Amino acid sequence: MKLIIQIPCFNEAQTLSVALSALPRAVPGFASVEWLIIDDGSQDDTVEVARAHGVDHIVRHSGNKGLAKAFMTGLEASLRLGADVIVNTDADNQYNADDIPALTLPIIQHQAEIVVGARPIGVIEHFSPVKKMLQKLGSWVVRIASNTDIPDAPSGFRAISRAAAQRLMVFNDYTYTLETIIQAGQKNMSIVSVPIRVNEDLRPSRLVKSIPSYIKRSIVTIIRIFMIYRPFSFFATIGAVLFSAGLLIGLRFVWHYLHGNGDGYVQSLILASIMLGMGFQTLLVAFLADLMAANRKLLEDIRFKTANLPQNQDPAVVKNDSELTFVTVDKKTRDNL
């Protein structure tokens, strides 16, 4: 079996060497362990640092596409390079690489398809109280939306089986962590969590540029999660609230009208009409959104089946949307493909 450890990078020259120095070259259960770097349009010496530390494969974006895009590019490249299991970790050495065997063990033992490393968030000193609260809130939302029991959903330290990686598709441009867990739950993939350790903070988080920005992005991400993966419940709830409010206001007008005071409550009648109309239209949107979600699932199934068809394509070239992304493969690795 082949394990590929992938690291999305954007201007990580200062910390990447530390992260790479800690990565293993041998993991129990795997005949080979290879390293893959996704250079997301870095403008520093990230690629040079990766090559100097013996990275096997480098995928390069022509510009900065974001963490979620880099993650998906890494999965696609790893699959084409023949990975049986893919481990994703960060370039800032946040996660303890010594826990990779524990992360991959449930997959080797056929107990899970995806394994998420659970950090001891409560005792991490460089996490602010607001960030800890939002981490817990995000994990709770994911558990509700996915029917899974993952205590640290925002964790990027995770192991993914080949079959699971082929079925994942991230729509969010900001981060992949929450969405992939929800997809796993909806696709009935077996997903578990294992406790992991963390290292000292080497640099501020790239995703948390400021607390207000992090709160805003987190709220938007959570709303999008429900809109994409629970569309009927999301829109039907809004529609029911609007329709019920309009109905109550309308009944209030009828009560006053029957008691001879209708002329003074015409505004209530207008407001009730507007809210009833908005509620009814939102309920219709709920049904349409549910149909679109069903179509999306069918398209995902078609994508998965198409991806498993035999392909006569050089694994050193990965087509990524409208651009070509090149994977540099050393001669020894290419001969073994």
Side-chain angles (χ1 to χ4, degrees), residues 41-63:
S42 298
Q43 299 175 349
D44 62 0
D45 296 330
T46 295
V47 173
E48 286 70 20
V49 171
R51 287 173 176 161
H53 283 77
V55 169
D56 301 286
H57 316 288
I58 299 175
V59 185
R60 307 194 68 173
H61 283 169
S62 58

Side-chain angles (χ1 to χ4, degrees), residues 204-278:
S205 172
R206 295 280 175 81
L207 291 180
V208 188
K209 296 181 180 179
S210 67
I211 294 300
S213 174
Y214 184 68
I215 293 174
K216 177 183 177 181
R217 284 182 174 271
S218 297
I219 292 174
V220 171
T221 298
I222 290 171
I223 292 175
R224 287 192 65 185
I225 283 173
F226 277 102
M227 289 179 63
I228 294 175
Y229 295 101
R230 289 288 186 269
F232 185 82
S233 299
F234 181 82
F235 289 105
T237 299
I238 296 175
V241 170
L242 291 172
F243 193 87
S244 298
L247 183 62
L248 290 175
I249 295 173
L251 291 175
R252 177 174 176 267
F253 169 79
V254 172
W255 189 87
H256 285 287
Y257 178 81
L258 293 176
H259 288 77
N261 298 323
D263 293 341
Y265 293 90
V266 176
Q267 299 89 338
S268 296
L269 178 61
I270 296 174
L271 180 60
S273 301
I274 294 174
M275 297 192 72
L276 285 171
M278 292 175 61

Side-chain angles (χ1 to χ4, degrees), residues 108-187:
I108 294 174
Q109 295 180 341
H110 303 288
Q111 297 175 353
E113 296 175 87
I114 299 178
V115 184
V116 180
R119 297 165 292 180
I121 293 178
V123 298
I124 299 179
E125 295 181 357
H126 59 270
F127 276 19
S128 67
V130 174
K131 184 175 181 179
K132 291 179 180 178
M133 179 190 69
L134 290 174
Q135 296 272 10
K136 293 180 179 179
L137 176 61
S139 297
W140 175 80
V141 170
V142 170
R143 287 195 294 271
I144 297 298
S146 64
N147 294 321
T148 61
D149 187 22
I150 303 300
D152 186 12
S155 172
F157 194 39
R158 50 186 66 189
I160 306 169
S161 71
R162 181 178 183 84
Q166 290 174 325
R167 298 182 69 87
L168 292 178
M169 172 57 70
V170 177
F171 299 97
N172 195 323
D173 293 331
Y174 178 53
T175 181
Y176 60 89
T177 54
L178 308 184
E179 192 170 344
T180 49
I181 294 176
I182 294 173
Q183 284 192 24
Q186 291 204 337
K187 296 176 186 297

Side-chain angles (χ1 to χ4, degrees), residues 192-213:
V192 300
S193 178
V194 297
I196 60 162
R197 295 163 290 177
V198 295
N199 300 315
E200 294 182 2
D201 190 25
L202 296 182
R203 62 161 174 76
S205 172
R206 295 280 175 81
L207 291 180
V208 188
K209 296 181 180 179
S210 67
I211 294 300
S213 174

